[in-house]
Every structure is written in C-alpha cells, then in structure tokens.
Amino acid sequence: MATTAIPGAEPVKGRATPGAKVGAAYLLVCALAAGNLLLAHGMVREQNGVAESVSVAGRLRMLSQKIAFETAYHRLAPPGWRERLRQSRADYQASLDALSGGGSAFGHRLRRPSAALAERLAGLRVEWRLFGADVDLATDPAAADAAGALHRVAARAPALLERAEGVVARMAAEAGASQERALRQMYAVLAADMLLLALAWRLTRRKLVRAAESTFRSLADNSVVGVYIAEDARFRFVNPKMAELFGYDRAEMMRSVGVFDIVPEEAHGLVLHHMRRRLSGEVSEVSYERQARRKDGTLFDIEVFGSRMALDGKAVTIGVILDVSERKRVERAALRAEEANRAYARQLEYNANHDALTGLANRNLLGDRLRGAIAAARRNGKMVAVLLHDLDNFKVINDSLGHAAGDLLLANVARCMNEAVRESDTVARLGGDEFVIVMPDVARPEDAVAVAEKLLQVLSQPFVIEGQKVYVRTSIGISLYPRDGADEQTLMKNVDLAMYRAKQQGRGRLSFYTEEMNSANRARQRMEVELHNALERGEFLLHYQPKLDTRGGRVTGAEALLRWQHPRRGMVGPADFIPLAEETGLITLIGAWVLREACRQTRCWQLAGLPGLSMAVNLSACQLQRDELLPLVREVLRESGLAPECLELEITETAIMRDAEEAVPLLVELKAVGVRLSLDDFGTGYSSLNYLRRFPLDSLKIDRTFVSEIHSGMNEGTIITAMIAMARGMKLRVIAEGVESEEQAEFLRAHDCHELQGYHIGRPMPAAALEALLRAQRAAFELTAS
Ligand SMILES: Nc1nc2c(ncn2[C@@H]2O[C@H](COP(=O)(O)O[C@H]3[C@@H](O)[C@H](n4cnc5c(=O)[nH]c(N)nc54)O[C@@H]3COP(=O)(O)O)[C@@H](O)[C@H]2O)c(=O)[nH]1
C-alpha cells in the first residue's frame, strides 16, 4: 500500500465515506458516457440528413434527363406517355421544392439548404421553369412551334443537368465539412472525457487514501494492541497502546526510541532476522513471540505480527504487538504444573519400583527385571542366577542399637551389595533384611558362586554405625534359571528354600537350591496343615521339667514344655514345629492352649495337696502383643483359679529385645497382674543393663551354654559367676538351666544360684511323672521332718 506520511495526518471527520465518493465518481462517468452517446447520435443524424439531400439532388439529375427523353419520344405515342411525363415533372418540382425550403421528398425529410446552396437552387429553379415551358409547347399538338420547343428542350436538358450536379457538388462539399466538424467535436468530447476521468480517479484515490489513513488512525488510536510503523529501526508511528505497553510517552517514543531499545540483547538477532526477511520480501509477514523491555528496564512477553508496506516510497515494517505476559504466565504455570505432575508421576513410578530406605529395586521392579532376564536367557541359551540374602543377626542388632541404626546398617549393606555386582545385575530389597540379586547372562553356576562368595567376604567386614563397629553375617541362597525353575515365581520360591537351608547350615553360608529342598518344603507345608489339625485333635501335650530350689533342696517349680503326639511320627519336640508355628502365626493359638493347660494342671496339683508349686510357661516373641496377652493371662488365671504369683512367664532375651521399648509397658502391666517374669536364655541376646533395670523382672535364667562352661576348661565358670553376682546385685533371682552334672550343681550352689534346672535335676516328664516326683519328695521331707 502506498500512502502519504501518516504521522502528520489528521483524522477526517464528518465526511462522505470512500464508498460514497467512489459511487459519485461512477455516476459522473456514466453521465459522461450518456452525453457522448447523445452527441454521437446527433452527429450521425446530421450526416444522414446530408446524405438524404444528396440523394434527392441526385434524383433531380436523373429526372431532368427522363423528362427530356419522354418529351422527345412522345411523338411515337407510346401508351401512357402523358401520365408518365406529368408524374416525372411533379416529382422534379416536389424535390426541388424540398431541397430549396425543407420538407419531404421521396420519403426523405430534408433540412433547409445553406445560403450558398439556396443560391444554386435558385439558379436551378429558373432553368427548370424555362425547361418546363419548352416541354409544355413541345408536347402540345396545337402549338405552332412544337418542333422548335422540342429542339430547345433537348438543348436545355444538359444545362439543367449541369445545374443539378452543381447542387450535388455543393452538397457533397458541405457534407465533408460537416463530417470534419463532427470529428473535431468527437475528439474534443473524448479529450474532455479523459480529462474528467483522470480528475475523478485522482479525486477518488486521494479520498480513498485519506479515508484509509483515517480508518487506520482511528483503529490504531482505539486499539487494545500496540501498533507501530518502523523505518530504519526507528519508530515512525506508534499508537497510544504501544507507548503505554512500553511505558513511554507516545511522542517521546516516536522521537527518541529505537526499535532495539525495546528488545533485550538476547533477542536482537531474532528481531533483526525477522525485520530483514520482511524488508527483503522473503516473507510478506511474520509472527513470533519474544521478550520485550519497558522503559523502566523490566521485561515482559509479547507476540509480534509484522508485515511490510511502502510509505512515501520507502519500505517500512508495520506490526502489531500484543502483551502476552499473562498468557505466558499461565502457560509457564501450566508447564510447571505439568512438569511437577511429570516429576510426581516419575516419583510415583520410582516409589512404586524402589525401596525407600535403600533406593534399591523393590519387589515390583525385581519381578520385571527377573522376567526380562529370563526372556533374554531363553533367547540366548544362558542362565540367570537369583541370589537371596538374609542378614542373620539383623534383628538383634536392630533391637539393641535401635531402628535408626538398623536403617543405617541396611543402607550400608545395600551400598556394598550394589558396589560388589555388575551394572547389569539388579540388587533389590524385599523388605526387612532380605536382599535379592538377579544376575542375567550367567554362563556357569560357578559364576554365581563367585559373586556370592565375594558378597559374603565383603559383608563380613565390620560396618561402623553411629561410631560402633557392627558385624553382620549373611546367608545366601542361590537358584538358577532354567535348572531350578522356568519362571519368576518358581525361581523365587526355590531361592527362598535355598536360603533357608543356608541358614540351617549354620549361617554365613551359601546354598544352591536342590530338589530335596523342595521336598523338605513340601514336608513343611504338610506339617503346617497338620499343626492346624493337631490343636483341634488334641495332639498336643505338656511335659514338665522340675526346677530345684538350692536353698531348700526341693523341687518348688517346673517348666511346662510342649510336645506333639504326632499320629505317625510319634512324639515331636517343640524345636521341630515351634518355628513353623511362629512363622504361620499358629503359635498364638498353641501358646494360649499351653498357658491354659499349664495353669489348669498346676492348680490341680495344688488342690491335690501339692501347694506352693510355681509353673513356668514359655512365651514366643509373637505372643508379646499387649492387646492379646494381657486379657489371655487374666482370663486363664481366673478360669484356673491359680494365684498369679504361681505363674512364671519365661520370655527369651532375644524376643524381649526385638522391641524393647514396646516390651517395657507390657511387662509392667503383666507384673501388675501379679505374675512373675523371667528372662530366658540370658546371655545369648543383646540386652543392656539399662533395659535390665527398666524391665520389671523377677528372675534371670542363665543359658545352658554358660552352665556347660563350668569345669569345661573354658573360662572355668567365671562368666556365670559374674552373671549371678550381677543378677543378685539387681535383686533378681537366678536360675541356671541345662545343669547336667553334680559338679555344675555344686558350683552353682556354691555361687548362690537360686534355682537349678537340667537333666541332672530331672528331664522334662509327663504330668503324672512330675506329680509322682513331687509326692515322693513331699513324703521324703515329711519323713525327715518327723
Ligand atoms: N514358645 C514356646 N516355646 C517352647 C514351648 N515348649 C518348649 N519350648 C521351647 O522349645 C525349645 C526346645 O524345648 P525342648 O525340646 O522341650 O527342650 C527343653 C529341654 O528339654 C531342654 N533341656 C532342659 N535341660 C536340659 C539339659 O540339661 N541339657 C540339654 N541339652 N537340654 C536341656 O531345654 C529346653 C528348655 O529350654 P528353656 O525353655 O530355655 O528352658 C526351647 O527353647 C523351649 O523354650 C512352649 O510351650 N512355647
């Protein structure tokens, strides 16, 4: 678009619209065209009139000759000659009259002749009159000089013809002049037309430009977007909004602000690029987003729509600028929200696949990796090794050092495992202290053994946790694809059996899965079912092992020990089924039965004349649930009628330390019920003096391993002596278990051990046997007393 300079132009107000102007110009041109047509029509009519006169004059020539001819030959008396002669003379007269004064002749309407022509016609009329007189005489049979008249007619005819031709010639000359004149008029009219058209076009164009400029200005002034025209990187025009957007005064912006003043440095290249593309004509328009700088230096987001135009013959850029800060802010917020969502999804996915404590793969991811490794091994004919690790003494460490230290230890173990294996291997934590390593692409079983031994070695090094050296031992089970299972579930089940076997073999070992393990497992499963049935079928029974009071030298109590009278396998000891009962949770039911039966039996004996007898009952770690144990103990005592102080609950040091903090309130409440509490297997766990003080215990039961050291050459009983002294110092009764010889009994008596228990005192025995023993003892004492 070409236009005049926009900056100085004033808006046009109250004027006709460009559309009206164009309409007016169009009407003017139409009127001109109509005038031209009328003019042409007049000229054609004029020319036609001349032609008609010439045609009539031509007839005159022909009629004069015809009359002369008919006059000359009338003597031959052709029929109708008189009539024809009269008609020809009448036609001649009418034509001459029409030519001379205007009127009709031969169907033509003739105009009045010019003066010159009229003069010639007058001459012709005189000649015609003379000619007519001679014709009358020549054709009158009575006339005397008819022959002389005929002779004059023949002589006058050429003169008449000549005069008529003179008229025609004059007419032709006048017609030519008239045509010349008409042409000149036509040219003049055409020139006027063109002039008028040019004027109209120029007028209309100027109006249109002014109207366009006015429209542009009105639009720009009221626009809610910034509008600019830039020439040579300077603003030639900015609208109020543009100035407002950038924080300038409008005049100031046009006067002293350059295009690049509102473009941050980093966007200079971009702006220059778009400007050049437009100005070079490479593109007609551009649209892009960028940052812009306000007068105060702050940045905001804009969108530019630009194109090119010609202004006063120069190429300039024209553009529209939109403040898109808000949109961008929303977009950025949406982007951030999306990114946060993605991060959250990634985190969720990570959490779903990783162990929170160690960052290792969890069971979920392990399953995926193992399935993938199996699929790859199936294709390339390799093996996959699954190594299951279980930290042997983690529970004890966790209980004694606390959970925070336990967590730290697990994290350290995880790190060591990760470092010991290849990148392609997967180390996963299944929970607790169980870790699994999946090794894809294993060529030989020995490769898995090598890794397992390396791990045993690495993990045998002490970890320093909270300033203390901590030793862990791990048992490792190994199963191999495809030898030990074709799918993930089978491999995991079998590696579990292998690990179980490694633990049984003495811990700190590794064990491959074998088919026998599976059969052992099946046996275990069978036993589980049988254990369920055993309770219902009454296959459990209690044996009682006596406890000897060293002061009085009498059996004053007993320990209830569970036995399973198996229908096929005979008497089964607790060591063979209690771990399984603990694993399956059946121990709760079985333990309740033991407590009920032991109390019932003790009360029976008391009622049967064996008073003062106390009964010790073993509790598993899983039974130490406050909500279940307390009501059970209360109920059993109420049911049996046994005095609480006659019941002693034996809890192993390991079980109590599993959650020592939880154990304290439970023990306090049990103590409040009135029962006695004994710490079993003392010396095998990790109880601290601090806890020993906090537990409301009545007695410590020294583990048989310490008793066996008496006179064994090892320590010579120094540890047990210290244990007894310590217990006594804490006002606790001391019971030594596993007393198998008189020497041991003697030693323990000599060191003030309160009670002795062991094969030397009495093996675990059926109720009837213990009753007999107690009765015999009572009889012996009664005898001694009397
Ligand atoms: N939670 C429960 N645990 C129970 C229950 N009944 C028994 N047990 C625990 O089972 C473990 C094995 O018990 P058992 O086979 O009965 O062995 C006991 C004794 O026979 C054995 N003992 C006793 N004196 C000697 C000895 O001089 N030498 C020797 N080698 N063994 C001996 O010790 C077992 C009793 O130990 P303790 O409980 O520490 O006093 C065993 O851990 C039982 O606790 C039950 O009902 N619930």
Side-chain angles (χ1 to χ4, degrees):
M1 178 172 72
T3 171
T4 51
I6 285 169
E10 282 306 314
V12 179
K13 286 179 188 159
R15 299 277 179 86
T17 62
K21 297 281 175 193
V22 172
Y26 175 72
L27 279 177
L28 186 66
V29 170
C30 283
L32 267 173
N36 286 348
L37 273 175
L38 285 173
L39 193 67
H41 182 68
M43 282 168 58
V44 169
R45 282 190 59 189
E46 171 81 20
Q47 293 307 308
N48 280 346
V50 172
E52 280 173 330
S53 299
V54 170
S55 163
V56 172
R59 286 220 186 184
L60 281 185
R61 280 189 315 186
M62 184 270 290
L63 281 171
S64 66
Q65 301 310 300
K66 190 179 172 198
I67 293 166
F69 176 77
E70 282 171 351
T71 304
Y73 289 97
H74 79 279
R75 288 182 181 188
L76 299 175
W81 69 272
R82 190 173 290 282
E83 183 51 32
R84 276 197 303 279
L85 182 62
R86 192 198 59 75
Q87 184 62 48
S88 295
R89 290 182 67 183
D91 285 348
Y92 195 102
Q93 186 61 49
S95 299
L96 188 58
D97 289 346
L99 282 170
S100 304
S104 285
F106 303 122
H108 299 297
R109 282 203 61 82
L110 305 183
R111 296 188 180 174
R112 287 189 166 278
S114 64
L117 193 58
E119 194 181 322
R120 292 191 182 215
L121 283 167
L124 179 62
R125 190 176 284 278
V126 172
E127 195 64 46
W128 164 249
R129 211 177 302 120
L130 295 173
F131 181 73
D134 285 337
V135 169
D136 285 341
L137 282 176
T139 53
D140 185 358
D145 191 19
L150 189 59
H151 183 74
R152 280 195 303 280
V153 166
R156 286 187 192 278
L160 195 61
L161 183 64
E162 193 180 336
R163 283 196 183 269
E165 275 182 347
V167 168
V168 170
R170 179 67 204 167
M171 280 181 165
E174 283 188 6
S178 158
Q179 268 181 354
E180 272 301 312
R181 210 170 38 252
L183 271 175
R184 269 199 303 279
Q185 281 174 358
M186 283 285 272
Y187 289 142
V189 166
L190 268 177
D193 283 359
M194 285 179 71
L195 205 67
L196 255 170
L197 275 174
L199 202 68
W201 182 80
R202 190 173 159 72
L203 257 172
T204 313
R205 182 179 157 276
R206 189 177 296 164
K207 299 276 183 208
L208 283 172
V209 166
R210 280 211 192 121
E213 191 180 306
S214 160
T215 309
F216 168 81
R217 178 170 291 279
S218 149
L219 276 175
D221 282 356
N222 298 307
S223 178
V224 292
V225 298
V227 180
Y228 70 89
I229 296 173
E231 183 186 336
D232 298 334
R234 300 209 67 79
F235 291 112
R236 188 157 165 183
F237 170 83
V238 294
N239 73 337
K241 184 67 184 179
M242 175 88 179
E244 182 200 319
L245 280 180
F246 288 90
Y248 289 100
D249 172 68
R250 195 170 160 216
E252 173 196 12
M253 196 165 183
M254 282 194 272
R255 189 178 58 246
S256 53
V257 179
V259 168
F260 288 98
D261 292 336
I262 62 163
V263 180
E265 291 270 303
E266 57 276 16
H268 277 191
L270 176 78
V271 172
L272 199 63
H273 167 72
H274 284 306
M275 216 184 244
R276 282 185 180 149
R277 288 180 74 209
R278 270 181 288 170
L279 290 175
S280 69
E282 184 190 337
V283 293
S284 59
E285 53 200 41
V286 292
S287 90
Y288 60 102
E289 289 179 359
R290 65 171 171 85
Q291 286 232 297
R293 182 185 285 121
R294 294 194 188 89
K295 185 180 180 182
D296 63 7
T298 54
L299 297 178
F300 68 114
D301 295 295
I302 59 167
E303 189 167 5
V304 182
F305 297 93
S307 64
R308 183 178 72 127
M309 65 180 254
L311 193 62
D312 295 339
K314 285 196 77 175
V316 297
T317 51
I318 177 167
V320 168
I321 284 182
L322 266 79
D323 179 353
V324 292
S325 306
E326 184 55 22
R327 194 187 80 202
K328 283 276 162 192
R329 193 189 62 72
V330 171
E331 275 174 13
R332 276 196 278 269
L335 215 66
R336 276 199 300 278
E338 203 180 310
E339 181 49 42
N341 275 348
R342 270 203 294 270
Y344 182 59
R346 277 199 299 276
Q347 186 63 47
L348 281 183
E349 197 194 337
Y350 181 86
N351 291 350
N353 288 310
H354 292 85
D355 170 51
L357 175 66
T358 59
L360 294 179
N362 64 7
R363 194 181 288 274
N364 201 25
L365 185 55
L366 170 75
D368 286 353
R369 297 274 170 85
L370 183 51
R371 280 191 292 278
I374 291 171
R378 195 174 289 137
R379 285 194 298 274
N380 58 28
K382 290 273 184 72
M383 287 187 273
V384 178
V386 182
L387 279 62
L388 174 62
H389 300 243
D390 186 284
L391 303 187
D392 296 331
N393 49 345
F394 176 70
K395 213 159 255 327
V396 175
I397 296 169
N398 200 36
D399 290 347
S400 54
L401 296 182
H403 290 297
D407 286 353
L408 215 57
L409 178 65
L410 289 174
N412 276 288
V413 167
R415 183 180 44 76
C416 279
M417 285 184 173
N418 240 343
E419 286 169 3
V421 299
R422 285 190 196 153
E423 191 86 352
S424 53
D425 299 338
T426 297
V427 183
R429 179 175 172 233
L430 298 185
D433 55 357
E434 276 191 342
F435 296 85
V436 173
I437 294 174
V438 173
M439 296 168 57
D441 274 345
V442 173
R444 304 165 310 148
E446 290 79 1
D447 296 346
V449 172
V451 172
E453 281 176 344
K454 182 179 170 188
L455 284 163
L456 286 177
Q457 201 275 323
V458 166
L459 296 175
S460 69
Q461 305 302 313
F463 290 92
V464 179
I465 305 292
E466 293 176 347
Q468 289 189 52
K469 275 189 181 175
V470 178
Y471 289 86
V472 291
R473 280 185 311 175
T474 176
S475 302
I476 303 178
I478 306 173
S479 68
L480 287 170
Y481 168 86
R483 194 186 72 183
D484 305 330
D487 56 52
E488 173 207 351
Q489 286 82 8
T490 314
L491 284 171
M492 287 305 291
K493 189 187 80 172
N494 290 344
V495 80
D496 195 52
L497 294 174
M499 199 274 295
Y500 189 68
R501 171 60 56 84
K503 269 195 186 303
Q504 281 179 335
Q505 282 170 350
R507 317 209 159 195
R509 299 285 182 88
L510 64 92
S511 168
F512 266 104
Y513 166 78
T514 60
E515 194 41 50
E516 299 83 68
M517 289 176 195
N518 219 346
S519 45
N521 188 44
R522 279 197 288 274
R524 228 170 124 247
Q525 284 169 346
R526 199 166 50 241
M527 186 191 268
E528 195 180 323
V529 176
E530 289 173 343
L531 267 179
H532 271 281
N533 297 337
L535 203 57
E536 288 166 20
R537 292 174 186 163
E539 291 171 3
F540 290 119
L541 67 146
L542 293 180
H543 277 186
Y544 300 92
Q545 185 172 30
K547 288 183 185 175
L548 186 79
D549 179 6
T550 51
R551 283 270 170 83
R554 293 209 299 185
V555 173
T556 51
E559 179 181 359
L561 294 162
L562 182 62
R563 300 291 182 263
W564 180 10
Q565 185 62 57
H566 193 278
R568 287 189 321 278
R569 292 159 62 194
M571 194 68 82
V572 181
D576 292 337
F577 63 87
I578 286 222
L580 183 61
E582 285 177 335
E583 267 177 51
T584 55
L586 266 175
I587 192 69
T588 317
L589 290 175
I590 296 172
W593 178 85
V594 170
L595 189 66
R596 199 164 265 120
E597 177 58 17
C599 291
R600 185 198 64 76
Q601 182 61 69
T602 312
R603 183 67 187 141
C604 259
W605 280 328
Q606 288 176 351
L607 292 173
L610 297 168
L613 186 74
S614 79
M615 183 58 66
V617 173
N618 290 287
L619 292 181
S620 273
C622 344
Q623 287 178 272
L624 301 181
Q625 300 295 323
R626 189 172 165 275
D627 295 348
E628 290 176 12
L629 186 60
L630 273 166
L632 176 73
V633 170
R634 286 196 190 104
E635 186 187 305
V636 166
L637 288 173
R638 198 179 56 248
E639 270 175 17
S640 62
L642 187 68
E645 64 273 16
C646 295
L647 175 64
E648 186 169 49
L649 298 177
E650 286 192 13
I651 307 163
T652 63
E653 191 180 20
T654 310
I656 214 168
M657 289 304 293
R658 209 159 83 163
D659 196 341
E661 280 304 323
E662 276 284 299
V664 174
L666 171 68
L667 296 183
V668 168
E669 287 194 67
L670 283 172
K671 194 80 193 108
V673 172
V675 297
R676 296 162 61 81
L677 299 172
S678 177
L679 191 66
D680 201 359
D681 299 341
F682 181 65
T684 57
Y686 286 81
S687 54
S688 65
L689 272 178
N690 177 35
Y691 272 123
L692 284 182
R693 264 202 307 272
R694 288 176 64 197
F695 295 146
L697 298 170
D698 294 284
S699 53
L700 291 181
K701 203 169 173 186
I702 297 171
D703 189 69
R704 77 171 66 88
T705 48
F706 301 103
V707 175
S708 67
E709 284 177 4
I710 302 171
H711 303 313
S712 66
M714 288 167 61
N715 302 321
E716 293 299 320
T718 46
I719 296 178
I720 204 166
T721 312
M723 282 175 162
I724 296 169
M726 184 196 77
R728 279 188 163 275
M730 294 173 73
K731 306 274 183 285
L732 295 173
R733 283 177 67 79
V734 192
I735 303 154
E737 66 176 18
V739 181
E740 294 185 346
S741 66
E742 181 50 31
E743 287 79 21
Q744 290 168 345
E746 193 52 44
F747 180 92
L748 291 163
R749 265 190 221 103
H751 288 87
D752 285 337
C753 182
H754 294 102
E755 285 177 68
L756 306 179
Q757 183 184 347
Y759 292 167
H760 181 65
I761 313 300
R763 285 182 174 261
M765 57 190 82
L770 182 70
E771 186 179 333
L773 177 85
L774 291 172
R775 285 190 189 285
Q777 178 182 265
R778 192 182 64 175
F781 271 91
E782 279 172 0
L783 199 62
T784 316
S786 64

